[in-house]
Amino acid sequence: MEELGWLGILGRMALRFVPVWAGLALILGLGWRARARLGPAGRLFGSWAGLSGLTLVLFWVLTALFADLIATHDPLAQLSGLKNAVPGSPAPGSSYPVYLLGGDSLARDCFSRMVVGARRVLAIAPAATLCALAVGMLLGLPAGFVGGRLDAALSFLANLVLAFPVILLFYLLVTPEIRQTALPRTVAAVLFLMPLLFLVLLWHSRFRTRAGPWALGLAAILGPGLWIWAGLALDADPSGLWRLEPGLLTVFVAVVFVNAPTAFRIVRGLALDLRHRDYVAAARTRGEGPWFIMLWEILPNARGPLIVDACLRVGYTTILLGTLGFFGLGVSPESPDWGSTINDGRRFLAIYPHAAVVPALALLSLVLGLNLLADALRTEARHD
């Protein structure tokens, strides 16, 4: 088989992404038809930036979901004779006859590593962002609403973490010496407990006077919640369904630990601004408790800035994960995550640029999509 030209490469890649095109058409089509009922989210379809950002983000989310169908080779498999192979090189005797985007310095398929790498990035970045936001809301709301010594103490701790340079802090948290201690598991146990505690407080503050729904809801939250927490944080899930390998756990904890103080400061600032509004005074007059006011009066009215911050924070976290992989920290060296792949390819950048350019473009497009989406959401939040 002869080497493919760029038209042939692009055509075959387009065919591999058929599940993604179908998913995009379905989601965007349904969203367009229901845009009038989706409120601010529906208005994204009338914004060039919003629609472009949403399309790029959905493309990579669907790519991560369908990675097993899209990838042409095992991302860790090495084929003889295809070291630094150019895009479109034949791959005889393999599961797919071509290395669509070439081979890297270890003769692995760059296209498959890019596709599977999306799953790695999107398995960590959104989950770490949600966990950091849960920590920020759980601590930032009482700091801003109550104020006083509580605010001073929590703000001091947040500023203490923020005083460290981010890269240096990452180096400290993910070095092998730290990973071999009990510190990552201990910090993970505390941080992973925060989202569960947030959900418990959210439900309790709403239904504390109604015994039936209160008990049923707490059982539904604590049952699976403690199971997931024990598996992820303590590696104590006997079924093995909820488990993070030690390297991935350390990266996750480091990302949450770095993001949580900034999330705390944003939530605290919003709570400080909203605690004197009329609806808060009305809730106090009704005799509502502090957690009800914080979670059901202040937080819903702060959702616009928090959603925008979440989009930006996922993009920031994606870059942080790429930086960690580039420096060879956290995940295993053979991992197909984009940062590690860029690092592997940079040594031959002048001669074989495809090995580093492919994951770099993937990382750029995802972060660009998240930033465009955040800008469009910020614009819609201003209109509301």
Side-chain angles (χ1 to χ4, degrees):
M1 181 178 177
E2 295 183 357
E3 184 180 306
L4 286 179
W6 278 108
L7 284 178
I9 293 171
L10 293 175
R12 291 199 178 211
M13 284 176 58
L15 287 176
R16 298 302 300 182
F17 281 109
V18 163
V20 175
W21 308 137
L24 277 174
L26 179 63
I27 295 171
L28 294 178
L30 291 174
W32 176 265
R33 292 188 61 182
R35 66 189 184 280
R37 298 191 296 272
L38 293 176
R43 291 199 291 272
L44 290 176
F45 290 89
S47 161
W48 175 87
L51 188 58
S52 300
L54 182 62
T55 302
L56 283 171
V57 172
L58 283 175
F59 174 85
W60 286 113
V61 169
L62 292 171
T63 297
L65 288 174
F66 297 116
D68 294 334
L69 297 175
I70 299 169
T72 54
H73 298 84
D74 183 343
L76 302 181
Q78 301 171 336
L79 293 184
S80 176
L82 290 176
K83 179 180 179 180
N84 294 319
V86 298
S89 296
S94 65
S95 57
Y96 193 78
V98 179
Y99 265 14
L100 290 173
L101 294 177
D104 64 6
S105 60
L106 295 177
R108 298 170 298 193
D109 180 36
C110 292
F111 175 76
S112 299
R113 289 180 68 77
M114 175 194 71
V115 169
V116 178
R119 179 175 287 176
R120 277 280 187 173
V121 171
L122 290 171
I124 300 176
T129 299
L130 288 175
C131 192
L133 281 175
V135 174
M137 288 186 290
L138 195 62
L139 300 179
L141 284 171
F145 182 74
V146 177
R149 293 181 179 178
L150 177 65
D151 182 23
L154 292 175
S155 296
F156 174 77
L157 291 175
N159 291 330
L160 194 64
V161 176
L162 291 171
F164 274 85
V166 172
I167 297 300
L168 177 60
L169 191 58
F170 268 126
Y171 265 109
L172 291 174
L173 291 173
V174 301
T175 50
E177 291 79 10
I178 295 294
R179 289 165 58 184
Q180 291 169 5
T181 67
L183 184 63
R185 290 283 177 193
T186 304
V187 177
V190 175
L191 291 178
F192 288 177
L193 199 59
M194 293 294 186
L196 183 60
L197 183 57
F198 174 78
L199 291 175
V200 168
L201 286 171
L202 189 70
W203 189 266
H204 170 73
S205 62
R206 185 74 176 184
F207 296 100
R208 66 187 186 280
T209 58
R210 299 165 61 186
W214 177 83
L216 187 63
L218 285 185
I221 293 170
L222 290 174
L226 289 174
W227 174 33
I228 295 170
W229 173 78
L232 295 180
L234 306 178
D235 196 19
D237 177 16
S239 68
L241 182 63
W242 299 101
R243 184 180 182 276
L244 282 174
E245 60 186 72
L248 205 57
L249 175 72
T250 309
V251 170
F252 195 99
V253 168
V255 169
V256 174
F257 189 78
V258 167
N259 275 307
T262 52
F264 162 82
R265 293 183 69 176
I266 290 172
V267 176
R268 172 187 171 272
L270 291 169
L272 281 170
D273 178 51
L274 297 175
R275 67 179 179 175
H276 299 299
R277 300 295 175 93
D278 291 341
Y279 49 80
V280 174
R284 280 178 168 148
T285 304
R286 295 196 310 266
E288 303 290 358
W291 279 107
F292 180 93
I293 296 173
M294 287 186 284
L295 295 173
W296 294 100
E297 297 291 348
I298 293 177
L299 188 59
N301 287 283
R303 66 186 183 277
L306 289 178
I307 291 172
V308 173
D309 176 70
C311 288
L312 290 172
R313 199 168 296 282
V314 171
Y316 175 63
T317 302
T318 303
I319 295 173
L320 285 179
L321 292 172
T323 304
L324 279 177
F326 184 82
F327 286 119
L329 299 171
V331 294
S332 56
E334 70 275 6
S335 170
D337 73 280
W338 293 337
S340 300
T341 310
I342 294 171
N343 184 41
D344 290 340
R346 71 182 172 88
R347 291 171 292 178
F348 305 96
L349 192 59
I351 310 171
Y352 306 107
H354 60 274
V357 169
V358 168
L361 289 176
L363 181 62
L364 182 149
S365 62
L366 176 58
V367 175
L368 175 64
L370 288 164
N371 287 340
L372 288 173
L373 188 58
D375 286 342
L377 288 170
R378 184 187 294 114
T379 302
E380 296 302 329
R382 286 200 198 102
H383 291 161
D384 286 347

